[in-house]
Amino acid sequence: MTEQSRLVKKYPNRRLYDTKTSAYITLADIKELVLRFEDFKVVDAKSGEDLTRSILLQIILEEESGGVPLFSSELLSQIIRYYGNAMQAMLGKYLENNIKAFADVQQKLQEQSRSIYGEANQVQAQADLWAQFLNFQGPAMQSMMSAYVDQSKKMFQQMQDQLQNQTRNMFTGFQFPGAQPEDKNTEKTG
């Protein structure tokens, strides 16, 4: 945790205490910290255990429960299937990289709207830009995203194939029960 990180302590009564402001805060306040890109860490007041991920998951659960959910049931099912799977770490990194790429595109659009419309009109201008962008570029964007998803799927499959090949190569000298030994010196008769 960096020196400027905010430390939030969670007490047994489930209350969150912000040590920077010396005040109790809510999950909504934690969400605001996230939206403002503030660095923070939530720890159990008694044990010191890091609870940051748990608190962030609670915020996501609240967001998913109210309004329009971000994750479909199918997507959540797919994610659950990867827990305990050999590819779990890869999926996490894959999702993280794709979300970061998406955030980078959004940031560039925000910078462009600031340079065109100025700081004062940015919120309305940004909404207008997104509306225009989606109206005119919607089909092209959908096609581009479809191609991107297909490319990502192929890349992921290649990674999985490569891992399988590496695993096979790693264990080629071992005898496994029930497996027929490969004898390369034996000639086939036909």
Side-chain angles (χ1 to χ4, degrees):
M1 194 165 90
T2 64
E3 287 181 35
Q4 293 137 0
S5 290
R6 196 172 222 155
L7 180 64
V8 177
K9 293 182 179 181
K10 184 175 182 202
Y11 286 92
N13 61 3
R14 297 171 44 162
R15 292 188 74 185
L16 300 166
Y17 184 78
D18 185 347
T19 59
K20 185 175 181 180
T21 62
S22 299
Y24 286 102
I25 61 174
T26 63
L27 284 178
D29 296 320
I30 297 283
K31 179 183 171 189
E32 282 302 313
L33 293 177
V34 171
L35 295 174
R36 291 192 313 254
F37 294 88
E38 289 194 37
D39 192 22
F40 67 92
K41 184 176 183 178
V42 180
V43 297
D44 184 280
K46 198 172 189 178
S47 69
E49 177 187 359
D50 187 351
L51 303 174
T52 309
R53 288 184 70 256
S54 173
I55 295 297
L56 294 172
L57 285 168
Q58 282 182 351
I59 293 169
I60 290 171
L61 182 60
E62 282 189 5
E63 291 294 318
E64 286 289 307
S65 297
V68 180
L70 182 64
F71 300 110
S72 69
S73 295
E74 178 59 29
L75 175 61
L76 291 171
S77 296
Q78 290 291 347
I79 290 171
I80 289 168
R81 288 181 189 114
Y82 274 95
Y83 282 98
N85 186 308
M87 302 297 277
Q88 180 177 342
M90 278 189 188
L91 178 66
K93 197 66 177 164
Y94 173 80
L95 291 173
E96 187 176 331
N97 288 338
N98 281 290
I99 294 286
K100 185 179 180 333
F102 187 79
D104 289 345
V105 168
Q106 185 181 16
Q107 182 180 359
K108 286 177 185 169
L109 282 172
Q110 288 173 345
E111 289 169 4
Q112 288 175 353
S113 72
R114 254 192 304 270
S115 67
I116 294 170
Y117 296 101
E119 205 60 49
N121 299 325
Q122 183 188 357
V123 173
Q124 184 58 45
Q126 190 174 340
D128 292 344
L129 273 177
W130 273 111
Q132 289 174 10
F133 179 76
L134 292 174
N135 282 337
F136 295 116
Q137 299 298 324
M141 186 70 156
Q142 197 170 22
S143 174
M144 183 178 80
M145 287 304 288
S146 177
Y148 173 74
V149 168
D150 288 343
Q151 180 184 4
S152 293
K153 190 190 264 184
K154 287 177 188 172
M155 228 172 61
F156 196 74
Q157 184 63 46
Q158 288 171 348
M159 286 179 5
Q160 193 171 13
D161 292 344
Q162 185 179 8
L163 280 172
Q164 286 175 347
N165 288 335
Q166 287 173 349
T167 304
R168 274 192 210 104
N169 290 337
M170 213 167 42
F171 294 108
T172 51
F174 294 95
Q175 290 293 325
F176 294 99
Q180 295 294 327
E182 290 184 26
D183 189 6
K184 294 180 181 177
N185 298 327
T186 310
E187 289 184 24
K188 293 182 181 178
T189 57

